Amino acid sequence: MRLRPDIVGSADAYLNPLGERELSLRGLKVPAIENLGVTEDEFESIDLSDNEILFLDNVPLLKRLTTLMLNNNRVSRISESLGRFVPKLSTLILTNNRLKTLDEIKPLASLGRSLLRLSLLGNPVTQVEHYRLFTIHILPRLVVLDFSKVRPAERAASEKLFGPPVQYAAEDEEGGLALDVPAVSAAADDQGGVQSMDVDGESASGAATASVDPVAAASAALRHLTGGDDGEESKAAPKVFKPGVSLSASSSSRAATSAADRAKIQAAIKNAGSLEEMNRIQGLLARGNLPTGAELDKLLKNPSATD
């Protein structure tokens, strides 16, 4: 038997004890989830218990859905994009299904932003070593797992074994999630001029930087390098972590740039006679470890002196 549109449309609907609008599709012996779009996203809870569903997938966008019950089915696979289609799902009941390995429950991470309660009792995976700690790791907001409250000691043990909890980016336009977001750092001038970003240690630049005022760009680079004032009132540049470079080393290199040397660099910026000259000065600042005194004078006049 298939879950036809007419079956979904004529199924029992009522207010459950929590005051949620619930749709009952239980006990129909259907093998797959389909045609839930017929509900027009009118329900907070859908009960698909006591069927023969093999895969937890093919779910349409249901922005109102908070509870999904699939106990007593045959689920052995979960869609990796499930969270994109049920962005508010907070309770998922998968008791008595056929999930066997940690890899098979890993797609639940797509629900990490919203899921608070989960039951996987009666699945073989619950007998796998570190199952509970792994589940807590991929679902950082989880409060109750298998009808047992998640304790702070378990969170600490999970982090020790698997590392920090999975991080999530902001939701996209369709409510989806981006997982394992790489660290991104940015330095921009105070007037919103140039902005350069380092993603996983590599430079990423957009087309917008091509039209940026080179004076503003060089000034921003000077402030970022020295962490001080370049002659105008400005805020200190934020500390940015770079792989392989300690924060203490970064701080010491900035401190080494004296007020006199900063004045020399600022004068070179203001006296630059061409765009090429300005780009050359900006390139020198981007190196991040300038010499001082006479060596700095030589470098400003002849950039190839240290190449």
Side-chain angles (χ1 to χ4, degrees), residues 34-305:
E34 53 187 337
N35 296 313
L36 290 185
V38 174
T39 67
E40 297 183 347
D41 196 18
E42 293 183 352
F43 300 95
E44 288 85 21
S45 177
I46 295 179
D47 188 354
L48 283 161
S49 304
D50 303 315
N51 283 292
E52 298 178 358
I53 296 170
L54 301 174
F55 307 133
L56 178 45
D57 61 2
N58 198 31
V59 178
L61 182 60
L62 299 173
K63 293 183 178 181
R64 296 184 62 178
L65 189 68
T66 60
T67 301
L68 182 59
M69 292 173 278
L70 284 152
N71 44 294
N72 302 323
N73 276 277
R74 301 179 182 180
V75 176
S76 61
R77 190 180 72 192
I78 300 170
S79 170
E80 294 184 355
S81 60
L82 180 62
R84 179 181 297 274
F85 299 99
V86 286
K88 293 185 179 179
L89 190 70
S90 60
T91 300
L92 177 60
I93 307 300
L94 284 166
T95 304
N96 295 331
N97 278 280
R98 298 183 179 180
L99 296 163
K100 298 179 180 179
T101 68
L102 298 183
D103 278 343
E104 288 176 351
I105 66 171
K106 190 174 181 180
L108 290 173
S110 70
L111 299 169
R113 186 181 293 276
S114 63
L115 199 65
L116 303 177
R117 292 167 290 273
L118 171 67
S119 175
L120 291 168
L121 289 173
N123 286 269
V125 68
T126 60
Q127 305 303 313
V128 174
E129 186 179 13
H130 304 312
Y131 146 74
R132 190 171 173 90
L133 297 183
F134 177 78
T135 307
I136 293 170
H137 169 69
I138 63 174
L139 296 168
R141 296 194 63 195
L142 202 62
V143 175
V144 177
L145 175 59
D146 298 337
F147 302 100
S148 176
K149 188 174 181 180
V150 175
R151 295 171 289 133
E154 290 179 306
R155 291 198 183 281
S158 173
E159 184 166 346
K160 183 176 181 180
L161 185 61
F162 295 105
V166 174
Q167 299 298 313
Y168 297 87
E171 294 181 337
D172 66 18
E173 293 179 355
E174 296 185 6
L177 303 174
L179 309 184
D180 297 322
V181 181
V184 177
S185 63
D189 79 353
D190 295 336
Q191 290 75 30
V194 68
Q195 184 176 44
S196 60
M197 305 183 75
D198 290 332
V199 182
D200 286 343
E202 295 182 359
S203 175
S205 59
T209 60
S211 60
V212 172
D213 180 359
V215 175
S219 297
L222 174 59
R223 281 195 297 273
H224 182 64
L225 172 66
T226 64
D229 194 349
D230 65 354
E232 299 178 359
E233 184 178 351
S234 62
K235 297 179 180 179
K239 292 182 178 179
V240 180
F241 172 76
K242 294 184 178 180
V245 179
S246 68
L247 287 177
S248 59
S250 176
S251 298
S252 63
S253 67
R254 288 186 177 186
T257 307
S258 68
D261 289 336
R262 288 200 300 272
K264 292 177 184 178
I265 298 171
Q266 183 63 23
I269 293 172
K270 292 181 179 179
N271 295 329
S274 65
L275 179 61
E276 180 180 0
E277 179 71 8
M278 186 59 64
N279 289 335
R280 180 180 70 79
I281 296 173
Q282 185 180 352
L284 294 176
L285 293 173
R287 296 182 182 181
N289 187 18
L290 292 175
T292 59
E295 288 296 321
L296 177 60
D297 293 337
K298 181 179 179 182
L299 186 59
L300 288 173
K301 294 178 180 179
N302 181 15
S304 62

